[in-house]
Amino acid sequence: NDLWAACLPQCTPGPHLRDDDWHPWSCEALGPRTLGAAPWVAEQCAKAGEPCAAKGCCAEPGMQCYTQNQWHSQCRPTCEPGATYSAEDQPWECKAVGM
């Protein structure tokens, strides 16, 4: 609509199923694309499946480093304290680490 815009990696015109309302998106580009993360991010930040607490950042866009306990951390899109994410998993404390 005329009052709302968002930076999205991709856009399909019409309603977005995760939005709070049903109003359709036009997907009109309002400016140039950003360059994204700096080149050092891919080299210095934790990749999928790697411990991330010592590095303090995640290489994959949209991920945040969370702690499960003092020994284990992982880049995840979200984290809910007390949740388990696999059958053999212990509950996560979900303290966000770094950026």
Side-chain angles (χ1 to χ4, degrees), residues 68-79:
Q68 180 180 26
N69 52 43
Q70 67 185 36
W71 301 284
H72 184 70
S73 59
Q74 187 178 40
C75 293
R76 307 186 59 78
T78 62
C79 192

Side-chain angles (χ1 to χ4, degrees), residues 10-96:
Q10 58 192 14
C11 185
T12 302
H16 288 194
L17 301 179
R18 295 184 184 254
D19 281 354
D20 291 335
D21 62 41
W22 56 269
H23 294 94
W25 286 69
S26 70
C27 297
E28 175 188 350
L30 299 177
R33 289 195 167 273
T34 61
L35 297 176
W40 63 265
V41 173
E43 299 169 14
Q44 301 296 321
C45 295
K47 293 163 186 59
E50 294 181 343
C52 56
K55 293 185 176 187
C57 58
C58 299
E60 189 177 338
M63 301 295 260
Q64 169 67 49
C65 179
Y66 292 104
T67 58
Q68 180 180 26
N69 52 43
Q70 67 185 36
W71 301 284
H72 184 70
S73 59
Q74 187 178 40
C75 293
R76 307 186 59 78
T78 62
C79 192
E80 186 170 328
T84 56
Y85 295 102
S86 68
E88 62 278 345
D89 219 356
Q90 298 293 317
W92 282 69
E93 62 186 16
C94 296
K95 291 182 183 172

